[in-house]
Amino acid sequence: MVYKGMNIMKYFFFDIDGTLAVGNTGIIPKNTKRAVKLLQKNGHFVAIATGRLYINAINYCKDLGINNLVSDGGSGVTINGKLIGVEPLDYNLCINLLEELDEKGIAWSINYNDECVRYCNREQFMKEIEDGYTKTKLKKDLDFHKIKTIRKIYISCTKEMEKDIKSLKYLSSTRFHERCLFIENDDKSIGIKKVMDYFNAPYKDVVVFGDESNDLKMFLDEWTSIAMGNATKELKEKADFITKNCDDNGIEYALRHFGWI
């Protein structure tokens, strides 16, 4: 569906993992797909809001028949199927971090292009990290000083190790796995507001769905925030409504509860 100047009732933004899709499987339940289609049929604006890279997240949009996307943790915006742009991480801060990691002998990998691949220059990272988040490739001649755009950094470290990495305090980080720390833009609300400003629409008409710690910054008082039943305790505490689990018809349950479908 292409949105122009039509009278849209609500603007919905759905996280992927643990919200639309069950856990990290990437599998979206049939009832969730049905609910999303009904939502669009009823004239609502529907988008995905995810920390995933654009090149990866756009496939979920295609699967659901959605043309709108907030990707890369809020730094990427796609409207009506057109990529408006993606802001990378701060280059100098990334270089400082990677230099410190090398000094400390801590393994890392990076994403720096339009591929669903992270690259490392030592086998150490591949041996220590098996989170299944994305494909990892070894590139022994990889020199991060020669790369001008860095979108994500993955660090092989525990929470204890993390405390000693001084450069981390200048960059946003998220931990989905015990051993792997993600350095990524993590404020989806920035991208959501860009979408709303594009349509000159009031923020109060936004409805967001999420389940994890990286969704905290998009759970704002300015709009309606809905936490999945499988969401973290911290996110549930910020939510306006808590629905059922992702794999227990949680999306459809909430949409019907509020009369949106």
Side-chain angles (χ1 to χ4, degrees), residues 102-162:
D102 276 353
E103 289 175 6
K104 289 181 164 63
I106 298 174
W108 53 263
S109 70
I110 58 176
N111 175 277
Y112 59 90
N113 53 28
D114 292 323
E115 291 182 278
C116 291
V117 178
R118 58 188 177 193
Y119 291 90
C120 59
N121 59 7
R122 290 185 293 163
E123 293 182 358
Q124 179 185 347
F125 183 87
M126 301 179 77
K127 290 178 180 179
E128 294 176 351
I129 302 298
E130 296 181 0
D131 58 26
Y133 178 78
T134 191
K135 187 176 181 179
T136 305
K137 286 186 178 181
L138 178 65
K139 192 174 182 180
K140 292 185 177 180
D141 62 349
L142 177 62
D143 182 355
F144 57 79
H145 293 97
K146 296 179 180 179
I147 295 171
K148 300 304 179 185
T149 300
I150 298 175
R151 297 187 177 177
K152 286 181 187 281
I153 300 175
Y154 309 85
I155 306 173
S156 174
C157 69
T158 62
K159 287 185 177 180
E160 284 301 312
M161 294 169 65
E162 182 183 336

Side-chain angles (χ1 to χ4, degrees), residues 22 24 34 74 89 113 118 129 174 195 224 228 254:
V22 178
N24 295 316
R34 181 180 65 243
L89 293 170
N113 53 28
R118 58 188 177 193
I129 302 298
T174 307
V195 172
T224 303
M228 305 304 293

Side-chain angles (χ1 to χ4, degrees), residues 131 133 153-154 172-177 180-184:
D131 58 26
Y133 178 78
I153 300 175
Y154 309 85
S172 298
S173 62
T174 307
R175 184 178 290 278
F176 296 110
H177 304 277
C180 189
L181 184 69
F182 289 47
I183 307 303
E184 59 184 7

Side-chain angles (χ1 to χ4, degrees), residues 33-43 252 256 261:
K33 291 183 177 182
R34 181 180 65 243
V36 168
K37 286 182 180 179
L38 271 173
L39 204 55
Q40 293 184 94
K41 185 178 180 181
N42 286 354
E252 186 173 18
R256 292 197 181 282
I261 60 172

Side-chain angles (χ1 to χ4, degrees), residues 24-130:
N24 295 316
T25 65
I27 299 172
I28 301 175
K30 290 182 179 179
N31 51 43
T32 296
K33 291 183 177 182
R34 181 180 65 243
V36 168
K37 286 182 180 179
L38 271 173
L39 204 55
Q40 293 184 94
K41 185 178 180 181
N42 286 354
H44 298 289
F45 175 94
V46 180
I48 285 176
T50 179
R52 287 179 177 266
L53 299 165
Y54 164 82
I55 192 67
N56 176 273
I58 198 66
N59 293 321
Y60 288 91
C61 287
K62 292 175 181 177
D63 184 35
L64 288 164
I66 296 174
N67 293 323
N68 309 288
L69 170 66
V70 172
S71 62
D72 299 73
S75 63
V77 171
T78 299
I79 297 175
N80 290 333
K82 180 182 178 181
L83 177 63
I84 306 300
V86 179
E87 292 292 328
L89 293 170
D90 184 287
Y91 177 75
N92 291 323
L93 293 179
C94 288
I95 296 301
N96 291 339
L97 172 60
L98 291 168
E99 287 178 345
E100 182 181 355
L101 295 176
D102 276 353
E103 289 175 6
K104 289 181 164 63
I106 298 174
W108 53 263
S109 70
I110 58 176
N111 175 277
Y112 59 90
N113 53 28
D114 292 323
E115 291 182 278
C116 291
V117 178
R118 58 188 177 193
Y119 291 90
C120 59
N121 59 7
R122 290 185 293 163
E123 293 182 358
Q124 179 185 347
F125 183 87
M126 301 179 77
K127 290 178 180 179
E128 294 176 351
I129 302 298
E130 296 181 0

